[in-house]
Amino acid sequence: MPSTTIQPQTLYDKVFQDHVVHQDEHSALLFVDRHLVHEVTSPQAFEGLKNAGRKVRRTDCTLATVDHNTPTTKRTNFTDIASFVKADQARLQCTTLEQNVKDFGVRYFGLNDARQGIVHVVGPEQGFTLPGTTVVCGDSHTSTHGAFGALAFGIGTSEVEHVLATQTIIQYKSKNMLIHVNGKLSPGITSKDLVLHIIGIIGTAGGTGCVLEFAGDVISDLSMESRMSICNMAIEAGARAGMIAPDQITFDYIKGRPLAPKGAEWEKALSYWKTLKTDEGAHFDSVVEIKAQDIIPTITWGTSPQDALPINGVVPDPENESDPIKKAGIVRALQYMGLTPNTPLVDITLDKVFIGSCTNSRIEDLRAAAAVVKGKHIASTIKHAMIVPGSGLVKRQAEKEGLDKVFEAAGFDWREAGCSMCLGMNPDILDPEERCASTSNRNFEGRQGALSRTHLCSPAMAAAAAIEGHFIDVRKYLISDSPQVSIESDKKLAESQMEEEKQPKTPARQPSPAAEQPTPNSIAESTSVAPVAPAAPAASGIPPFSVETGVAAPLCQENVDTDAIIPKQFLNTIKRTGLKAGLFYPLRFTKNEVTGQWEETNFVLNVEPYTKAKILVVAGENFGCGSSREHAPWALTDFGLRCIIAPSFGDIFYNNSFKNGLLPIRISKEVIIEKLLPVAERGEQLSIDLPNQQILSSSGEVIIPHFEIEEFRKYCLVNGFDDIGLTLQKEEYIKKYEQLRSIKFSFLEEDPVKVIKPVKGSKESPFGVNAQDW
Ligand SMILES: CC(C)[C@H](C(=O)O)[C@@H](O)C(=O)O
Ligand code: SF4
């Protein structure tokens, strides 16, 4: 007889369970409460909808803005996005989004709206992000929203299309990992130092396959904005998501925000949200203990977020590394970064400073930076120091507090909201070999511009570095001579936004009269017994994969990130095709110092017989980590690759691959090095037999008798089925879930489209939302 005892659950388990629309043996179909959309990863998704004659299922659960490739220059003379964005491809992505939100009725914050900003700043700021919700976006830093106790993760463009069409997503249960931070952070140490320290310890593959829960005294003491900075970088630790249990600090932050529940719905929400914590005795698959007193200001020296060191450290020496692949990685990073082993970190001089990004562009970050620079001036050697607020509302709040004046007096450039130099898809980039102190989250090769050199750090550390011209331990600074800027509480910020955006309450969606009141855990139970809709033919959108034989190319590199697979300058497209030219660009091409031309390197895919490789054999962990860009599998398949074999993969990349007929196979590093790498190094062929889950040599000898793959993924790939067609067969389950959700979680049902009204001094935008008059 099955046990009736209720097992203690983690926060992740609870939120996951409350969103199950349908569960089968291996995967679950989860309902998506909140979908954020931006211009870079959505065009192909909307195109897919249009081609299939589908609509956006829940416009009330969808919010779009432009952020990645928009200029951050003054918008005083802004008339429309088509004339404001100068770069052709970026303009096309922006105008395509504006057309799509219009065609599909999606609410949108455009450049003439004060609420525009980086998606991950906008969602929480508006109260769109709420505890216990599922939040997705075609962007890896969706993990940010986990700070509210939401299950929030980045998805690829095919999944964006899936969510737009079905309001659901197919998920596999991740493992639970607890990051427990004990003690108290010393004065001057921020959550950015903490998260860099954590990633320095567990590594960029440390959280692979897991949802991280951050807990402990230190986490409970943090403000919401600091918590967001931590969860933001959970993706840099390789995790599916990062979560923090909601508490009074969370509730106070949300209360009164424009899209947060009001009145009786607020009270109902609150009583549910209070249950969202890990139960005593719940099982974690792994636990990492972090001692807060060990942490001092932390920066990165290399080209991976795990290259984090305390500011009193020195640049590492590859001679101290025994693993040959890791050693080669350090050598390459040192060369790329132009650093000499054993140099004290405080001796690293800088060219530029960037304070912004979805990690650190909120009001608290700007206050911290302003507190450091007030009354001082940036060093004469600093060529440019930028402050880019995360949203128009953050900018406005900072201006209310006079922070813009503090920054400008200190020689900083005060900009408009957007992603800006975090990845430089807009004009804000570093020149080759320029070195930047950046409050962003990624220091990959070429991240802030071709051959750019990025050091990640906190806003206070970046501000101090701007003043000194080199890194410095900001604690000396803060303690000695820096006056504090007056600080309004977070609560006041929320209220000040509310004054302008106070909304009339609209009635919640009416439940169907036939719907029964569900008991607390009954959504999953009820929906799991719903009848299956008659089978509709599944759309066949991906090339089927049965047995593939071809040349296997060897690659001995750890942490190959998706920025390296396809750099940002190739993301400015609204198509899925033609990306071969950008594949592994930083590895396949190098700049000739004499001619200034980019020339082919001897990277494996440039060399015969590998120019026709179908299989990539990677002898390094964490292939495809970082950004959610589905352009990575698009570029790999455009080159002709059908299979990547590696010890581990970035979670989002792994998912994206299957949607494009690219088979990622996980095999241990030892086995790859012993059995597959030698075959690839000899330039021989391998056969991948997916139906039998085997790898064979060209002569038919079985080299790997069995590899693991999830049943459902195999089924889709072998048959070339796309998920949307299959999910639409579960329409009855989705309907049933929606019906029950409208009762149990009625506080999520207010239709924010109706709630949004013009803000003071605004004019109506052509997209049915309110435009802020700049
Ligand atoms: C463009 C987008 C796909 C990407 C991401 O997923 O993270 C970007 O935001 C980044 O930071 O690299
Ligand atoms: S990481 Fe950078 S580019 Fe990506 S969403 Fe955040 S700010 Fe934008």
Side-chain angles (χ1 to χ4, degrees):
M1 230 177 96
S3 158
T4 50
T5 330
I6 298 170
Q7 293 291 322
Q9 288 181 302
T10 63
L11 169 61
Y12 165 57
D13 296 338
K14 289 183 183 180
V15 180
F16 190 100
Q17 179 187 303
D18 273 348
H19 289 85
V20 175
V21 167
H22 180 255
Q23 173 97 53
D24 63 28
E25 214 188 318
H26 304 286
S27 63
L29 189 66
L30 298 189
F31 193 80
V32 172
D33 296 312
R34 299 291 185 243
H35 186 190
L36 290 154
V37 173
H38 65 82
E39 76 279 18
V40 176
T41 54
S42 64
Q44 297 86 348
F46 281 113
E47 187 189 36
L49 287 192
K50 279 185 184 161
N51 291 344
R54 291 171 179 149
K55 352 180 256 183
V56 174
R57 184 182 181 97
R58 295 289 298 257
T59 48
D60 60 318
C61 300
T62 315
L63 172 61
T65 191
V66 269
D67 53 3
H68 279 73
N69 56 25
T70 50
T72 56
T73 45
K74 293 257 168 300
R75 295 181 195 162
T76 334
N77 297 323
F78 178 88
T79 48
D80 60 25
I81 208 155
S83 58
F84 192 69
V85 180
K86 301 287 176 238
D88 291 346
Q89 292 298 314
R91 181 172 56 245
L92 182 59
Q93 284 191 329
C94 292
T95 51
T96 303
L97 179 62
E98 292 207 342
Q99 190 59 47
N100 283 329
V101 295
K102 196 172 173 187
D103 293 348
F104 288 91
V106 169
R107 112 197 66 145
Y108 167 68
F109 298 157
L111 286 188
N112 55 349
D113 189 317
R115 291 162 297 190
Q116 174 271 338
I118 307 171
V119 266
H120 312 307
V121 175
V122 169
E125 189 170 71
Q126 291 299 314
F128 187 65
T129 304
L130 295 172
T133 52
T134 42
V135 182
V136 300
C137 174
D139 195 282
S140 54
H141 290 98
T142 310
S143 57
T144 311
H145 309 260
F148 291 79
L151 174 56
F153 47 88
I155 56 178
T157 297
S158 300
E159 288 177 315
V160 169
E161 186 181 338
H162 188 283
V163 176
L164 289 171
T166 69
Q167 207 53 42
T168 63
I169 186 127
I170 299 166
Q171 283 295 290
Y172 298 83
K173 194 76 194 283
S174 301
K175 290 193 174 139
N176 281 288
M177 181 189 251
L178 177 65
I179 309 268
H180 197 254
V181 193
N182 277 315
K184 217 170 173 37
L185 290 177
S186 319
I189 311 304
T190 67
S191 67
K192 182 64 167 289
D193 301 305
L194 169 59
V195 72
L196 287 174
H197 176 85
I198 293 171
I199 297 168
I201 290 177
I202 68 172
T204 48
T208 306
C210 302
V211 167
L212 310 182
E213 180 172 342
F214 298 98
D217 296 346
V218 170
I219 304 294
S220 317
D221 285 349
L222 292 175
S223 69
M224 279 318 293
E225 299 198 348
S226 296
R227 292 180 192 184
M228 282 189 247
S229 303
I230 293 193
C231 289
N232 174 276
M233 289 196 70
I235 183 69
E236 257 55 71
R240 180 109 199 99
M243 297 178 86
I244 295 175
D247 59 10
Q248 199 54 45
I249 292 177
T250 322
F251 310 143
D252 290 346
Y253 177 93
I254 298 169
K255 191 162 188 186
R257 296 205 175 250
L259 304 181
K262 314 273 176 335
E265 289 297 341
W266 170 261
E267 294 306 324
K268 182 174 173 183
L270 208 54
S271 57
Y272 171 63
W273 294 344
K274 287 182 178 166
T275 67
L276 295 174
K277 48 171 108 97
T278 292
D279 296 328
E280 192 75 33
H283 173 73
F284 282 95
D285 300 281
S286 50
V287 178
V288 177
E289 292 285 348
I290 303 283
K291 292 197 197 92
Q293 64 269 28
D294 290 350
I295 305 170
I296 71 163
T298 300
I299 67 166
T300 60
W301 63 269
T303 53
S304 163
Q306 72 186 5
D307 297 339
L309 285 175
I311 188 63
N312 59 5
V314 296
V315 173
D317 191 334
E319 289 313 312
N320 301 331
E321 177 58 64
S322 53
D323 179 320
I325 294 177
K326 289 200 167 75
K327 187 176 191 151
I330 297 176
V331 171
R332 183 180 168 95
L334 288 175
Q335 195 190 358
Y336 180 87
M337 293 296 289
L339 291 172
T340 312
N342 303 311
T343 307
L345 298 183
V346 289
D347 288 351
I348 296 178
T349 55
L350 297 151
D351 300 301
K352 291 188 175 164
V353 173
F354 169 64
I355 297 180
S357 89
C358 57
T359 319
N360 285 122
S361 62
R362 298 179 180 83
I363 191 67
E364 210 177 87
D365 301 313
L366 303 193
R367 288 172 185 154
V372 172
V373 307
K374 190 167 191 188
K376 301 188 176 63
H377 202 276
I378 60 171
S380 57
T381 48
I382 295 289
K383 297 180 202 163
H384 192 195
M386 298 173 89
I387 311 276
V388 186
S391 70
L393 291 177
V394 171
K395 178 169 184 271
R396 203 194 265 185
Q397 177 65 26
E399 287 169 355
K400 257 190 208 165
E401 296 177 23
L403 304 188
D404 56 328
K405 297 285 171 291
V406 172
F407 289 124
E408 282 175 343
F412 283 85
D413 189 5
W414 179 245
R415 313 284 288 200
E416 297 285 343
C419 293
S420 180
M421 206 194 272
C422 171
L423 94 164
M425 278 191 73
N426 70 351
D428 307 342
I429 54 167
L430 297 178
D431 286 334
E433 298 186 1
E434 276 184 343
R435 191 181 295 287
C436 181
S438 177
T439 64
S440 52
N441 42 47
R442 287 183 176 147
N443 49 353
F444 302 148
E445 289 186 22
R447 174 77 181 174
Q448 297 189 292
L451 303 180
S452 57
R453 294 168 174 167
T454 305
H455 296 272
L456 305 176
C457 60
S458 72
M461 283 289 282
I467 302 298
E468 295 290 328
H470 59 86
F471 279 113
I472 178 189
D473 184 338
V474 70
R475 289 175 302 170
K476 294 180 196 150
Y477 231 75
L478 291 171
I479 294 161
S480 58
D481 55 353
S482 183
Q484 293 286 317
V485 167
S486 75
I487 287 177
E488 276 195 13
S489 71
D490 283 349
K491 186 77 201 304
K492 265 205 161 150
L493 172 64
E495 279 166 1
S496 69
Q497 288 172 18
M498 268 303 293
E499 269 163 38
E500 291 170 348
E501 300 182 31
K502 223 173 263 164
Q503 311 299 343
K505 189 176 170 309
T506 49
R509 218 174 260 257
Q510 289 306 305
S512 131
E516 281 173 52
Q517 279 294 120
T519 53
N521 276 329
S522 61
I523 288 197
E525 288 154 24
S526 318
T527 53
S528 63
V529 295
V532 189
S540 172
I542 56 172
F545 192 120
S546 177
V547 179
E548 285 288 340
T549 304
V551 171
L555 182 61
C556 294
Q557 214 171 309
E558 305 257 1
N559 296 315
V560 178
D561 55 78
T562 50
D563 277 60
I565 298 174
I566 182 91
K568 45 116 191 294
Q569 63 269 33
F570 297 95
L571 305 189
N572 273 333
T573 171
I574 59 167
K575 299 278 164 221
R576 295 171 198 247
T577 48
L579 286 158
K580 176 180 165 178
L583 178 68
F584 289 123
Y585 199 87
L587 297 165
R588 285 172 67 203
F589 298 94
T590 185
K591 198 169 181 184
N592 182 315
E593 293 302 334
V594 183
T595 63
Q597 298 297 309
W598 288 84
E599 294 173 351
E600 279 199 0
T601 63
N602 62 355
F603 181 69
V604 64
L605 296 183
N606 288 339
V607 177
E608 295 304 336
Y610 305 115
T611 55
K612 292 181 191 61
K614 267 193 169 179
I615 299 152
L616 194 61
V617 176
V618 187
E621 301 282 349
N622 210 17
F623 184 87
C625 57
S627 153
S628 67
R629 57 192 72 176
E630 199 162 317
H631 309 67
W634 294 338
L636 290 159
T637 50
D638 204 27
F639 181 87
L641 288 158
R642 294 290 329 258
C643 172
I644 315 283
I645 303 170
S648 57
F649 292 92
D651 216 24
I652 309 177
F653 173 82
Y654 185 76
N655 264 332
N656 286 343
S657 298
F658 285 100
K659 318 282 176 198
N660 293 284
L662 179 68
L663 171 64
I665 302 180
R666 296 184 182 117
I667 291 182
S668 79
K669 190 167 162 183
E670 295 69 37
V671 174
I672 288 181
I673 290 177
E674 190 196 327
K675 300 199 164 154
L676 298 174
L677 201 61
V679 180
E681 282 172 345
R682 289 196 296 272
E684 292 174 7
Q685 299 202 340
L686 285 173
S687 272
I688 313 293
D689 180 346
L690 178 55
N692 292 307
Q693 297 176 226
Q694 289 186 332
I695 302 178
L696 301 93
S697 72
S698 50
S699 59
E701 178 204 346
V702 177
I703 306 179
I704 305 290
H706 180 80
F707 61 81
E708 290 295 331
I709 179 163
E710 297 87 347
E711 247 340 283
F712 179 67
R713 295 193 200 266
K714 174 176 160 181
Y715 167 72
C716 290
L717 201 49
V718 168
N719 293 294
F721 288 155
D722 83 5
D723 301 341
I724 301 181
L726 292 169
T727 296
L728 286 175
Q729 292 180 26
K730 300 201 171 115
E731 172 62 20
E732 286 306 313
Y733 290 101
I734 303 173
K735 264 203 203 132
K736 178 103 179 170
Y737 182 93
E738 284 180 325
Q739 215 171 53
L740 296 171
R741 177 185 185 265
S742 69
I743 301 164
K744 184 179 174 189
F745 301 131
S746 51
F747 47 86
L748 297 177
E749 290 285 319
E750 275 182 338
D751 188 343
V753 177
K754 290 188 203 133
V755 187
I756 291 173
K757 64 164 195 182
V759 285
K760 225 188 286 163
S762 71
K763 58 189 177 217
E764 206 68 28
S765 90
F767 306 106
V769 295
N770 318 293
Q772 175 60 34
D773 201 352
W774 289 88

